[in-house]
Amino acid sequence: MALIGQDIAQAKQLLEQGQLVAIPTETVYGLAGNALNPDAVLSIFTAKDRPSFDPLIVHTDSIEKAERWVKYFPTPLKSLAKEVWPGPLTILLPKKELIPDIVTSGLETVGIRIPHHPLTLSLLQSLDFPLAAPSANPFGYISPTQAEHVNQQLGDLIPYILDGGACQVGIESTIVAWENNRLHVLRLGGLSVEVIETLSKQKVVLNLNQSSNPQAPGMLKSHYAPRKPMHIGNIDELIKKYKDKRIGVLSFQRDVPNTTIQRILSPTGDTHEASKNLFRFLRELDQSEAEVLITEFVPEYDLGRAINDRLQRATYSE
Ligand code: AMP
Ligand code: MG
C-alpha cells in the first residue's frame, strides 16, 4: 500500500524523481506526474490502464506559469480564468512544444487548470514543472474523492498519497474551449454552465459527449461506472422490477424504505451537496451487499447537469 500523509517535501522529491504521487483537489484526487517528463506521463497511463487516446489535464498554480506552456491565451478565456481559478474549470489552449505529445494524446491543445486545494497549491508552487493528473482511479471506474479510495485501487502502484481530506466539489472539472469566437463547453463538471455564462457574459455552446469528436476523446459513453449493474429511471418502478434481488438505492432527496442499502445525495435538494457525495456513495453502494443498484436523475440545474451526465454514463437506461 502507498504511504498516506501531508508531507509536501516528500511529494515534491518523488515527483522530481519522475515518480507518481496522488494529490487532493477540490474536484477529485489526481494521479500526478511531471507533465514535462514523458516517462513519468507514460507511467500514469500504465498505472490507470488508461487508453493512450485519452489526454491528460495539466495542473499549475498561476496564470503566468500556464502561459509558459501555451502559445496564446485568448482574452475571453483568460478573463474567465482570472475569475474562476483556482477552481473546477479546465481550459483547452494551443500547446507549446514543451508539453510532450503523450500528455495531449497528440492533440494540438492542452487542458490546463489551477486546482483549488491548499496542499496541492503549495506543492505546485514549489515545483518548476506542471503536473499532469487524471483522476486517481483505474480507467472507467468511479473517481476517488478521499485518500483511502486511491489507496484501495492504486495503492500498490504508487509510493505516496498526499492526504487533503474529502474533495469539496466531488466531480471532475468543467472543460471549455474557445472556437469561432464562442465559448464551448466540452464536458460538464464542477463549475455550472449558469455560473460560466454569468461570469463570461455570454451564452455558451454545449458540445458534449462526442466521442467521435477528435477534440474530446475520453468522453466515453460508459465511464465513472460501478462494477455492479446500475439502472436509472423511476425508483419505485425499478424496485418492483428487481424485487427478487438485493437492491441498493441512490436517491436525490427522498428516503426509500425497505431496501438493502440506501444513500440520499442531498436531503435538502442541494446539487452542490449531491455532487460532493456522488462518487463516495456510488463506491459505498458498489461495495455493499446489494446485487443491483437503482438511481434516478436529479434536477437539470446548476451542478445537477454534471451529476446527470455522470449517472447516465454509470448506468443502463431503462
Ligand atoms: P480527467 O480524466 O478528469 O483528468 O479528464 C481528462 C479528460 O479531459 C479527457 O478524457 C478529455 O475528455 C479531456 N481533455 C483533456 N485534454 C484535452 C484536450 N487537449 N482536448 C480535448 N479534451 C481534452
Ligand atoms: Mg477520470
Side-chain angles (χ1 to χ4, degrees):
M1 285 284 143
L3 206 61
I4 302 186
Q6 300 192 320
D7 187 345
I8 291 174
Q10 180 160 7
K12 172 178 155 76
Q13 193 183 24
L14 289 164
L15 290 162
E16 284 173 347
Q17 291 165 357
Q19 300 204 55
L20 306 186
V21 171
I23 55 168
T25 80
E26 79 282 33
T27 61
V28 301
Y29 273 74
L31 181 61
N34 177 350
L36 305 185
N37 174 343
D39 292 332
V41 175
L42 177 61
S43 60
I44 297 176
F45 281 95
T46 309
K48 276 186 63 90
D49 206 9
R50 181 175 175 113
S52 61
F53 60 76
D54 196 359
L56 307 183
I57 293 170
V58 169
H59 297 72
T60 189
D61 61 282
S62 73
I63 293 186
E64 294 68 41
K65 279 194 190 168
E67 288 189 301
R68 290 188 209 157
W69 327 119
V70 302
K71 288 187 181 149
Y72 55 90
F73 204 146
T75 309
L77 289 182
K78 205 195 277 187
S79 310
L80 186 61
K82 281 183 182 155
E83 302 244 28
V84 172
W85 283 350
L89 178 75
T90 295
I91 299 183
L92 299 188
L93 295 164
K95 81 172 187 78
K96 281 191 189 150
E97 296 278 298
L98 250 95
I99 301 284
D101 287 335
I102 184 171
V103 172
T104 64
S105 306
L107 296 172
E108 294 299 310
T109 55
V110 58
I112 299 206
R113 179 168 107 79
I114 301 183
H116 194 179
H117 193 289
L119 277 183
T120 292
L121 281 173
S122 303
L123 173 65
L124 286 163
Q125 273 153 17
S126 76
L127 297 172
D128 56 11
F129 51 82
L131 292 175
S135 50
N137 55 305
F139 182 72
Y141 192 64
I142 303 162
S143 300
T145 55
Q146 294 176 13
E148 191 45 43
H149 299 166
V150 180
N151 213 15
Q152 281 168 14
Q153 288 180 305
L154 298 179
D156 291 338
L157 301 177
I158 57 175
Y160 197 66
I161 301 171
L162 198 57
D163 187 355
C167 300
Q168 291 303 305
V169 172
I171 44 176
E172 294 81 357
S173 58
T174 304
I175 301 182
V176 296
W178 186 250
E179 287 162 36
N180 305 319
N181 282 317
R182 294 287 300 276
L183 193 56
H184 289 239
V185 171
L186 301 189
R187 176 176 75 182
L188 296 169
L191 188 71
S192 71
V193 169
E194 291 92 328
V195 169
I196 293 176
E197 290 188 332
T198 305
L199 293 175
S200 66
K201 302 186 187 67
Q202 60 179 289
K203 271 248 156 278
V204 304
V205 179
L206 283 182
N207 191 6
L208 309 171
N209 302 339
Q210 302 185 19
S211 54
S212 58
N213 175 0
Q215 270 270 354
M219 309 262 172
L220 301 175
K221 261 194 113 177
S222 164
H223 216 64
Y224 316 106
R227 309 243 185 266
K228 291 188 174 147
M230 182 156 99
H231 302 270
I232 194 159
N234 178 296
I235 288 181
D236 296 324
E237 282 169 20
L238 288 170
I239 286 179
K240 276 188 216 138
K241 183 163 172 187
Y242 294 102
K243 62 179 184 311
D244 298 334
K245 303 228 183 252
R246 288 194 302 274
I247 295 176
V249 171
L250 180 69
S251 68
F252 178 49
Q253 269 191 278
R254 185 162 77 90
D255 190 26
V256 182
N258 304 324
T259 57
T260 300
I261 174 169
Q262 191 204 353
R263 291 288 179 271
I264 304 177
L265 285 169
S266 172
T268 59
D270 173 356
T271 60
H272 289 255
E273 183 184 24
S275 114
K276 187 176 169 187
N277 287 330
L278 177 68
F279 287 139
R280 177 163 59 93
F281 286 174
L282 281 176
R283 228 168 242 273
E284 288 171 1
L285 291 167
D286 205 23
Q287 289 168 357
S288 74
E289 300 264 276
E291 297 165 292
V292 172
L293 308 182
I294 284 174
T295 188
E296 61 186 349
F297 285 113
V298 307
E300 272 281 305
Y301 59 78
D302 205 357
L303 295 191
R305 292 204 221 183
I307 294 170
N308 285 339
D309 168 80
R310 303 305 187 268
L311 287 174
Q312 178 93 62
R313 291 171 209 244
T315 53
Y316 305 85
S317 296
E318 295 290 318

